[in-house]
mmCIF file of all heavy atoms in Angstrom:
data_model
loop_
_atom_site.group_PDB
_atom_site.id
_atom_site.type_symbol
_atom_site.label_atom_id
_atom_site.label_comp_id
_atom_site.label_asym_id
_atom_site.label_seq_id
_atom_site.Cartn_x
_atom_site.Cartn_y
_atom_site.Cartn_z
ATOM 1 N N GLY A 1 138.044 81.396 134.465
ATOM 2 C CA GLY A 1 137.943 81.498 135.925
ATOM 3 C C GLY A 1 136.724 82.237 136.391
ATOM 4 O O GLY A 1 136.394 82.217 137.588
ATOM 5 N N ARG A 2 136.000 82.908 135.471
ATOM 6 C CA ARG A 2 134.779 83.658 135.852
ATOM 7 C C ARG A 2 133.529 83.076 135.231
ATOM 8 O O ARG A 2 132.464 83.131 135.826
ATOM 9 C CB ARG A 2 134.933 85.116 135.428
ATOM 10 C CG ARG A 2 136.106 85.840 136.049
ATOM 11 C CD ARG A 2 136.064 87.320 135.735
ATOM 12 N NE ARG A 2 136.182 87.621 134.314
ATOM 13 C CZ ARG A 2 135.254 88.292 133.608
ATOM 14 N NH1 ARG A 2 134.169 88.715 134.210
ATOM 15 N NH2 ARG A 2 135.458 88.512 132.328
ATOM 16 N N PHE A 3 133.662 82.544 134.020
ATOM 17 C CA PHE A 3 132.505 81.993 133.297
ATOM 18 C C PHE A 3 132.572 80.475 133.253
ATOM 19 O O PHE A 3 133.653 79.874 133.184
ATOM 20 C CB PHE A 3 132.491 82.503 131.851
ATOM 21 C CG PHE A 3 132.154 83.969 131.688
ATOM 22 C CD1 PHE A 3 132.098 84.841 132.730
ATOM 23 C CD2 PHE A 3 131.853 84.446 130.415
ATOM 24 C CE1 PHE A 3 131.790 86.189 132.583
ATOM 25 C CE2 PHE A 3 131.548 85.792 130.213
ATOM 26 C CZ PHE A 3 131.536 86.642 131.310
ATOM 27 N N THR A 4 131.393 79.833 133.263
ATOM 28 C CA THR A 4 131.329 78.379 133.157
ATOM 29 C C THR A 4 130.260 78.012 132.133
ATOM 30 O O THR A 4 129.106 78.403 132.265
ATOM 31 C CB THR A 4 130.976 77.731 134.495
ATOM 32 O OG1 THR A 4 131.958 78.107 135.476
ATOM 33 C CG2 THR A 4 130.937 76.217 134.369
ATOM 34 N N ILE A 5 130.652 77.240 131.132
ATOM 35 C CA ILE A 5 129.727 76.723 130.124
ATOM 36 C C ILE A 5 129.366 75.293 130.477
ATOM 37 O O ILE A 5 130.200 74.513 130.951
ATOM 38 C CB ILE A 5 130.338 76.814 128.696
ATOM 39 C CG1 ILE A 5 129.299 76.459 127.638
ATOM 40 C CG2 ILE A 5 131.581 75.946 128.575
ATOM 41 C CD1 ILE A 5 129.785 76.703 126.210
ATOM 42 N N SER A 6 128.109 74.954 130.281
ATOM 43 C CA SER A 6 127.642 73.594 130.530
ATOM 44 C C SER A 6 126.508 73.275 129.578
ATOM 45 O O SER A 6 126.010 74.155 128.875
ATOM 46 C CB SER A 6 127.196 73.430 131.994
ATOM 47 O OG SER A 6 126.108 74.297 132.275
ATOM 48 N N ARG A 7 126.122 71.991 129.544
ATOM 49 C CA ARG A 7 125.031 71.610 128.639
ATOM 50 C C ARG A 7 124.196 70.488 129.250
ATOM 51 O O ARG A 7 124.683 69.715 130.069
ATOM 52 C CB ARG A 7 125.596 71.188 127.294
ATOM 53 C CG ARG A 7 126.422 69.901 127.309
ATOM 54 C CD ARG A 7 127.125 69.679 125.967
ATOM 55 N NE ARG A 7 126.196 69.548 124.849
ATOM 56 C CZ ARG A 7 126.538 69.700 123.575
ATOM 57 N NH1 ARG A 7 127.793 69.983 123.253
ATOM 58 N NH2 ARG A 7 125.622 69.551 122.632
ATOM 59 N N ASP A 8 122.928 70.447 128.810
ATOM 60 C CA ASP A 8 122.009 69.375 129.194
ATOM 61 C C ASP A 8 121.430 68.856 127.884
ATOM 62 O O ASP A 8 120.523 69.491 127.316
ATOM 63 C CB ASP A 8 120.926 69.916 130.123
ATOM 64 C CG ASP A 8 119.998 68.822 130.620
ATOM 65 O OD1 ASP A 8 119.845 67.795 129.915
ATOM 66 O OD2 ASP A 8 119.404 68.999 131.708
ATOM 67 N N ASN A 9 121.968 67.774 127.389
ATOM 68 C CA ASN A 9 121.549 67.281 126.055
ATOM 69 C C ASN A 9 120.099 66.823 126.059
ATOM 70 O O ASN A 9 119.415 66.902 125.040
ATOM 71 C CB ASN A 9 122.476 66.162 125.614
ATOM 72 C CG ASN A 9 123.884 66.670 125.268
ATOM 73 O OD1 ASN A 9 124.059 67.844 124.902
ATOM 74 N ND2 ASN A 9 124.869 65.803 125.423
ATOM 75 N N ALA A 10 119.622 66.317 127.154
ATOM 76 C CA ALA A 10 118.222 65.864 127.225
ATOM 77 C C ALA A 10 117.259 67.043 127.031
ATOM 78 O O ALA A 10 116.167 66.899 126.453
ATOM 79 C CB ALA A 10 117.936 65.171 128.547
ATOM 80 N N LYS A 11 117.684 68.231 127.511
ATOM 81 C CA LYS A 11 116.866 69.420 127.345
ATOM 82 C C LYS A 11 117.277 70.237 126.134
ATOM 83 O O LYS A 11 116.701 71.293 125.871
ATOM 84 C CB LYS A 11 116.987 70.291 128.599
ATOM 85 C CG LYS A 11 116.429 69.675 129.853
ATOM 86 C CD LYS A 11 116.521 70.620 131.042
ATOM 87 C CE LYS A 11 115.912 69.975 132.291
ATOM 88 N NZ LYS A 11 116.023 70.880 133.461
ATOM 89 N N LYS A 12 118.291 69.771 125.388
ATOM 90 C CA LYS A 12 118.814 70.502 124.231
ATOM 91 C C LYS A 12 119.126 71.942 124.605
ATOM 92 O O LYS A 12 118.785 72.874 123.907
ATOM 93 C CB LYS A 12 117.814 70.465 123.061
ATOM 94 C CG LYS A 12 117.539 69.089 122.519
ATOM 95 C CD LYS A 12 116.645 69.159 121.273
ATOM 96 C CE LYS A 12 116.382 67.816 120.682
ATOM 97 N NZ LYS A 12 115.545 67.875 119.462
ATOM 98 N N THR A 13 119.830 72.114 125.699
ATOM 99 C CA THR A 13 120.107 73.438 126.226
ATOM 100 C C THR A 13 121.564 73.562 126.615
ATOM 101 O O THR A 13 122.146 72.624 127.181
ATOM 102 C CB THR A 13 119.201 73.744 127.431
ATOM 103 O OG1 THR A 13 117.827 73.659 127.018
ATOM 104 C CG2 THR A 13 119.475 75.122 127.987
ATOM 105 N N VAL A 14 122.126 74.739 126.322
ATOM 106 C CA VAL A 14 123.479 75.088 126.738
ATOM 107 C C VAL A 14 123.365 76.288 127.678
ATOM 108 O O VAL A 14 122.527 77.170 127.475
ATOM 109 C CB VAL A 14 124.360 75.467 125.532
ATOM 110 C CG1 VAL A 14 125.754 75.867 125.978
ATOM 111 C CG2 VAL A 14 124.459 74.319 124.557
ATOM 112 N N TYR A 15 124.214 76.300 128.716
ATOM 113 C CA TYR A 15 124.170 77.346 129.724
ATOM 114 C C TYR A 15 125.509 78.083 129.783
ATOM 115 O O TYR A 15 126.553 77.531 129.437
ATOM 116 C CB TYR A 15 123.881 76.753 131.101
ATOM 117 C CG TYR A 15 122.638 75.920 131.163
ATOM 118 C CD1 TYR A 15 122.674 74.543 131.020
ATOM 119 C CD2 TYR A 15 121.385 76.511 131.333
ATOM 120 C CE1 TYR A 15 121.531 73.766 131.091
ATOM 121 C CE2 TYR A 15 120.215 75.760 131.387
ATOM 122 C CZ TYR A 15 120.309 74.369 131.264
ATOM 123 O OH TYR A 15 119.173 73.609 131.326
ATOM 124 N N LEU A 16 125.437 79.348 130.236
ATOM 125 C CA LEU A 16 126.659 80.098 130.520
ATOM 126 C C LEU A 16 126.451 80.800 131.842
ATOM 127 O O LEU A 16 125.620 81.706 131.950
ATOM 128 C CB LEU A 16 126.973 81.099 129.421
ATOM 129 C CG LEU A 16 128.321 81.837 129.595
ATOM 130 C CD1 LEU A 16 129.470 80.853 129.378
ATOM 131 C CD2 LEU A 16 128.434 83.025 128.617
ATOM 132 N N GLN A 17 127.158 80.373 132.873
ATOM 133 C CA GLN A 17 127.139 81.033 134.172
ATOM 134 C C GLN A 17 128.255 82.039 134.198
ATOM 135 O O GLN A 17 129.420 81.679 133.998
ATOM 136 C CB GLN A 17 127.288 80.008 135.288
ATOM 137 C CG GLN A 17 127.297 80.615 136.682
ATOM 138 C CD GLN A 17 126.007 81.310 137.029
ATOM 139 O OE1 GLN A 17 124.932 80.846 136.686
ATOM 140 N NE2 GLN A 17 126.103 82.463 137.710
ATOM 141 N N MET A 18 127.911 83.276 134.467
ATOM 142 C CA MET A 18 128.871 84.374 134.451
ATOM 143 C C MET A 18 128.965 84.997 135.854
ATOM 144 O O MET A 18 127.967 85.497 136.363
ATOM 145 C CB MET A 18 128.461 85.442 133.436
ATOM 146 C CG MET A 18 128.248 84.880 132.039
ATOM 147 S SD MET A 18 127.833 86.165 130.824
ATOM 148 C CE MET A 18 126.250 86.703 131.460
ATOM 149 N N ASN A 19 130.143 84.918 136.422
ATOM 150 C CA ASN A 19 130.382 85.485 137.756
ATOM 151 C C ASN A 19 131.437 86.583 137.684
ATOM 152 O O ASN A 19 132.159 86.688 136.685
ATOM 153 C CB ASN A 19 130.881 84.395 138.712
ATOM 154 C CG ASN A 19 129.886 83.280 138.898
ATOM 155 O OD1 ASN A 19 128.658 83.502 138.865
ATOM 156 N ND2 ASN A 19 130.369 82.047 139.063
ATOM 157 N N SER A 20 131.505 87.377 138.717
ATOM 158 C CA SER A 20 132.505 88.477 138.802
ATOM 159 C C SER A 20 132.494 89.308 137.523
ATOM 160 O O SER A 20 133.534 89.602 136.937
ATOM 161 C CB SER A 20 133.908 87.891 139.022
ATOM 162 O OG SER A 20 133.954 87.122 140.217
ATOM 163 N N LEU A 21 131.306 89.716 137.113
ATOM 164 C CA LEU A 21 131.143 90.435 135.859
ATOM 165 C C LEU A 21 131.826 91.793 135.893
ATOM 166 O O LEU A 21 131.856 92.465 136.954
ATOM 167 C CB LEU A 21 129.690 90.556 135.513
ATOM 168 C CG LEU A 21 129.056 89.268 134.938
ATOM 169 C CD1 LEU A 21 127.535 89.298 135.062
ATOM 170 C CD2 LEU A 21 129.465 89.075 133.500
ATOM 171 N N LYS A 22 132.336 92.187 134.730
ATOM 172 C CA LYS A 22 133.020 93.447 134.570
ATOM 173 C C LYS A 22 132.323 94.292 133.511
ATOM 174 O O LYS A 22 131.603 93.741 132.658
ATOM 175 C CB LYS A 22 134.479 93.205 134.137
ATOM 176 C CG LYS A 22 135.277 92.294 135.053
ATOM 177 C CD LYS A 22 136.642 92.012 134.462
ATOM 178 C CE LYS A 22 137.447 91.070 135.343
ATOM 179 N NZ LYS A 22 138.804 90.788 134.766
ATOM 180 N N ALA A 23 132.559 95.568 133.515
ATOM 181 C CA ALA A 23 131.965 96.448 132.514
ATOM 182 C C ALA A 23 132.306 95.988 131.099
ATOM 183 O O ALA A 23 131.460 96.062 130.190
ATOM 184 C CB ALA A 23 132.425 97.883 132.717
ATOM 185 N N GLU A 24 133.505 95.467 130.918
ATOM 186 C CA GLU A 24 133.908 95.014 129.579
ATOM 187 C C GLU A 24 133.225 93.734 129.126
ATOM 188 O O GLU A 24 133.424 93.300 127.980
ATOM 189 C CB GLU A 24 135.431 94.857 129.506
ATOM 190 C CG GLU A 24 136.038 94.029 130.615
ATOM 191 C CD GLU A 24 136.552 94.906 131.761
ATOM 192 O OE1 GLU A 24 135.879 95.877 132.151
ATOM 193 O OE2 GLU A 24 137.675 94.595 132.242
ATOM 194 N N ASP A 25 132.439 93.118 129.977
ATOM 195 C CA ASP A 25 131.633 91.971 129.582
ATOM 196 C C ASP A 25 130.331 92.394 128.928
ATOM 197 O O ASP A 25 129.579 91.555 128.424
ATOM 198 C CB ASP A 25 131.326 91.074 130.779
ATOM 199 C CG ASP A 25 132.556 90.435 131.404
ATOM 200 O OD1 ASP A 25 133.433 89.981 130.627
ATOM 201 O OD2 ASP A 25 132.641 90.403 132.652
ATOM 202 N N THR A 26 130.031 93.682 128.938
ATOM 203 C CA THR A 26 128.829 94.206 128.310
ATOM 204 C C THR A 26 128.839 93.890 126.813
ATOM 205 O O THR A 26 129.762 94.240 126.099
ATOM 206 C CB THR A 26 128.694 95.712 128.540
ATOM 207 O OG1 THR A 26 128.531 95.952 129.935
ATOM 208 C CG2 THR A 26 127.525 96.287 127.758
ATOM 209 N N ALA A 27 127.782 93.200 126.355
ATOM 210 C CA ALA A 27 127.701 92.795 124.970
ATOM 211 C C ALA A 27 126.372 92.085 124.737
ATOM 212 O O ALA A 27 125.643 91.771 125.695
ATOM 213 C CB ALA A 27 128.838 91.819 124.626
ATOM 214 N N VAL A 28 126.064 91.812 123.461
ATOM 215 C CA VAL A 28 124.997 90.865 123.140
ATOM 216 C C VAL A 28 125.633 89.484 123.077
ATOM 217 O O VAL A 28 126.644 89.290 122.373
ATOM 218 C CB VAL A 28 124.321 91.232 121.809
ATOM 219 C CG1 VAL A 28 123.231 90.217 121.492
ATOM 220 C CG2 VAL A 28 123.736 92.643 121.860
ATOM 221 N N TYR A 29 125.039 88.559 123.793
ATOM 222 C CA TYR A 29 125.575 87.200 123.859
ATOM 223 C C TYR A 29 124.735 86.269 122.996
ATOM 224 O O TYR A 29 123.484 86.312 123.045
ATOM 225 C CB TYR A 29 125.586 86.714 125.302
ATOM 226 C CG TYR A 29 126.727 87.299 126.101
ATOM 227 C CD1 TYR A 29 126.701 88.641 126.474
ATOM 228 C CD2 TYR A 29 127.814 86.511 126.481
ATOM 229 C CE1 TYR A 29 127.758 89.187 127.193
ATOM 230 C CE2 TYR A 29 128.862 87.059 127.213
ATOM 231 C CZ TYR A 29 128.824 88.393 127.548
ATOM 232 O OH TYR A 29 129.885 88.946 128.256
ATOM 233 N N TYR A 30 125.421 85.451 122.226
ATOM 234 C CA TYR A 30 124.788 84.522 121.314
ATOM 235 C C TYR A 30 125.311 83.119 121.567
ATOM 236 O O TYR A 30 126.477 82.947 121.958
ATOM 237 C CB TYR A 30 125.113 84.851 119.847
ATOM 238 C CG TYR A 30 124.748 86.227 119.403
ATOM 239 C CD1 TYR A 30 125.628 87.304 119.605
ATOM 240 C CD2 TYR A 30 123.545 86.479 118.729
ATOM 241 C CE1 TYR A 30 125.312 88.572 119.167
ATOM 242 C CE2 TYR A 30 123.226 87.733 118.278
ATOM 243 C CZ TYR A 30 124.107 88.790 118.504
ATOM 244 O OH TYR A 30 123.783 90.038 118.046
ATOM 245 N N CYS A 31 124.498 82.101 121.293
ATOM 246 C CA CYS A 31 125.047 80.764 121.259
ATOM 247 C C CYS A 31 124.868 80.218 119.854
ATOM 248 O O CYS A 31 124.024 80.671 119.088
ATOM 249 C CB CYS A 31 124.446 79.856 122.305
ATOM 250 S SG CYS A 31 122.828 79.226 121.913
ATOM 251 N N ASN A 32 125.714 79.279 119.503
ATOM 252 C CA ASN A 32 125.691 78.687 118.176
ATOM 253 C C ASN A 32 126.532 77.429 118.182
ATOM 254 O O ASN A 32 127.275 77.163 119.149
ATOM 255 C CB ASN A 32 126.267 79.692 117.143
ATOM 256 C CG ASN A 32 125.713 79.470 115.725
ATOM 257 O OD1 ASN A 32 125.535 78.330 115.309
ATOM 258 N ND2 ASN A 32 125.457 80.555 115.031
ATOM 259 N N ARG A 33 126.402 76.681 117.153
ATOM 260 C CA ARG A 33 127.270 75.528 116.973
ATOM 261 C C ARG A 33 128.705 76.018 116.878
ATOM 262 O O ARG A 33 128.957 77.156 116.481
ATOM 263 C CB ARG A 33 126.878 74.778 115.693
ATOM 264 C CG ARG A 33 127.650 73.518 115.438
ATOM 265 C CD ARG A 33 127.225 72.903 114.079
ATOM 266 N NE ARG A 33 128.019 71.752 113.749
ATOM 267 C CZ ARG A 33 127.950 71.104 112.603
ATOM 268 N NH1 ARG A 33 127.084 71.514 111.679
ATOM 269 N NH2 ARG A 33 128.703 70.053 112.382
ATOM 270 N N TYR A 34 129.653 75.150 117.252
ATOM 271 C CA TYR A 34 131.078 75.488 117.186
ATOM 272 C C TYR A 34 131.841 74.324 116.598
ATOM 273 O O TYR A 34 131.605 73.165 116.988
ATOM 274 C CB TYR A 34 131.620 75.810 118.582
ATOM 275 C CG TYR A 34 133.122 76.002 118.595
ATOM 276 C CD1 TYR A 34 133.685 77.222 118.212
ATOM 277 C CD2 TYR A 34 133.981 74.956 118.974
ATOM 278 C CE1 TYR A 34 135.065 77.379 118.189
ATOM 279 C CE2 TYR A 34 135.344 75.108 118.949
ATOM 280 C CZ TYR A 34 135.873 76.334 118.570
ATOM 281 O OH TYR A 34 137.230 76.489 118.557
ATOM 282 N N PRO A 35 132.794 74.543 115.695
ATOM 283 C CA PRO A 35 133.129 75.831 115.066
ATOM 284 C C PRO A 35 132.268 76.136 113.825
ATOM 285 O O PRO A 35 132.193 77.302 113.410
ATOM 286 C CB PRO A 35 134.574 75.614 114.644
ATOM 287 C CG PRO A 35 134.679 74.152 114.342
ATOM 288 C CD PRO A 35 133.757 73.473 115.321
ATOM 289 N N ASP A 36 131.620 75.120 113.270
ATOM 290 C CA ASP A 36 130.745 75.396 112.127
ATOM 291 C C ASP A 36 129.444 76.004 112.620
ATOM 292 O O ASP A 36 128.856 75.499 113.588
ATOM 293 C CB ASP A 36 130.450 74.101 111.353
ATOM 294 C CG ASP A 36 131.728 73.471 110.810
ATOM 295 O OD1 ASP A 36 132.539 74.204 110.254
ATOM 296 O OD2 ASP A 36 131.868 72.243 110.948
ATOM 297 N N LEU A 37 129.000 77.067 111.987
ATOM 298 C CA LEU A 37 127.878 77.846 112.483
ATOM 299 C C LEU A 37 126.551 77.496 111.823
ATOM 300 O O LEU A 37 126.497 77.146 110.646
ATOM 301 C CB LEU A 37 128.172 79.337 112.276
ATOM 302 C CG LEU A 37 129.404 79.894 112.961
ATOM 303 C CD1 LEU A 37 129.628 81.343 112.513
ATOM 304 C CD2 LEU A 37 129.249 79.820 114.485
ATOM 305 N N TRP A 38 125.498 77.560 112.641
ATOM 306 C CA TRP A 38 124.138 77.610 112.120
ATOM 307 C C TRP A 38 123.764 79.071 111.926
ATOM 308 O O TRP A 38 124.602 79.946 112.069
ATOM 309 C CB TRP A 38 123.162 76.984 113.140
ATOM 310 C CG TRP A 38 123.367 75.514 113.387
ATOM 311 C CD1 TRP A 38 123.728 74.557 112.461
ATOM 312 C CD2 TRP A 38 123.224 74.814 114.609
ATOM 313 N NE1 TRP A 38 123.812 73.323 113.076
ATOM 314 C CE2 TRP A 38 123.503 73.455 114.365
ATOM 315 C CE3 TRP A 38 122.839 75.213 115.899
ATOM 316 C CZ2 TRP A 38 123.420 72.479 115.401
ATOM 317 C CZ3 TRP A 38 122.771 74.250 116.912
ATOM 318 C CH2 TRP A 38 123.068 72.909 116.646
ATOM 319 N N GLY A 39 122.492 79.322 111.599
ATOM 320 C CA GLY A 39 122.035 80.699 111.579
ATOM 321 C C GLY A 39 122.048 81.279 112.999
ATOM 322 O O GLY A 39 121.886 80.547 113.978
ATOM 323 N N TRP A 40 122.250 82.576 113.100
ATOM 324 C CA TRP A 40 122.320 83.225 114.396
ATOM 325 C C TRP A 40 120.929 83.461 114.997
ATOM 326 O O TRP A 40 119.996 83.827 114.264
ATOM 327 C CB TRP A 40 123.064 84.553 114.302
ATOM 328 C CG TRP A 40 124.521 84.395 114.003
ATOM 329 C CD1 TRP A 40 125.132 84.528 112.786
ATOM 330 C CD2 TRP A 40 125.547 84.030 114.945
ATOM 331 N NE1 TRP A 40 126.470 84.281 112.896
ATOM 332 C CE2 TRP A 40 126.787 83.982 114.188
ATOM 333 C CE3 TRP A 40 125.582 83.745 116.287
ATOM 334 C CZ2 TRP A 40 127.989 83.666 114.792
ATOM 335 C CZ3 TRP A 40 126.813 83.428 116.883
ATOM 336 C CH2 TRP A 40 127.978 83.389 116.144
ATOM 337 N N GLY A 41 120.827 83.302 116.286
ATOM 338 C CA GLY A 41 119.614 83.694 117.016
ATOM 339 C C GLY A 41 119.601 85.196 117.246
ATOM 340 O O GLY A 41 120.462 85.925 116.743
ATOM 341 N N GLN A 42 118.647 85.634 118.060
ATOM 342 C CA GLN A 42 118.507 87.074 118.309
ATOM 343 C C GLN A 42 119.481 87.550 119.382
ATOM 344 O O GLN A 42 119.717 88.746 119.520
ATOM 345 C CB GLN A 42 117.085 87.421 118.725
ATOM 346 C CG GLN A 42 116.754 87.222 120.195
ATOM 347 C CD GLN A 42 116.587 85.769 120.602
ATOM 348 O OE1 GLN A 42 116.621 84.854 119.792
ATOM 349 N NE2 GLN A 42 116.427 85.555 121.906
ATOM 350 N N GLY A 43 120.073 86.636 120.125
ATOM 351 C CA GLY A 43 120.987 87.011 121.194
ATOM 352 C C GLY A 43 120.277 87.532 122.417
ATOM 353 O O GLY A 43 119.036 87.735 122.417
ATOM 354 N N THR A 44 121.049 87.758 123.469
ATOM 355 C CA THR A 44 120.481 88.313 124.712
ATOM 356 C C THR A 44 121.487 89.353 125.239
ATOM 357 O O THR A 44 122.693 89.106 125.291
ATOM 358 C CB THR A 44 120.195 87.208 125.749
ATOM 359 O OG1 THR A 44 119.546 87.778 126.891
ATOM 360 C CG2 THR A 44 121.442 86.478 126.210
ATOM 361 N N GLN A 45 120.976 90.521 125.577
ATOM 362 C CA GLN A 45 121.800 91.652 126.005
ATOM 363 C C GLN A 45 122.251 91.490 127.439
ATOM 364 O O GLN A 45 121.394 91.267 128.317
ATOM 365 C CB GLN A 45 121.035 92.957 125.827
ATOM 366 C CG GLN A 45 121.786 94.179 126.327
ATOM 367 C CD GLN A 45 122.981 94.565 125.454
ATOM 368 O OE1 GLN A 45 122.854 94.623 124.221
ATOM 369 N NE2 GLN A 45 124.136 94.836 126.061
ATOM 370 N N VAL A 46 123.533 91.639 127.669
ATOM 371 C CA VAL A 46 124.107 91.685 129.017
ATOM 372 C C VAL A 46 124.755 93.046 129.204
ATOM 373 O O VAL A 46 125.623 93.423 128.413
ATOM 374 C CB VAL A 46 125.132 90.552 129.229
ATOM 375 C CG1 VAL A 46 125.845 90.733 130.572
ATOM 376 C CG2 VAL A 46 124.459 89.196 129.165
#
């Protein structure tokens, strides 16, 4: 109800829109294949 994931395959990009953020959402966020994983990227701090 707060986050929305979407993708644009033509741009090879996945998005995460995060609304109504809470202190407990603080973390490093990563994207990866699901459920089988590729190597991890560097992530982005929220």
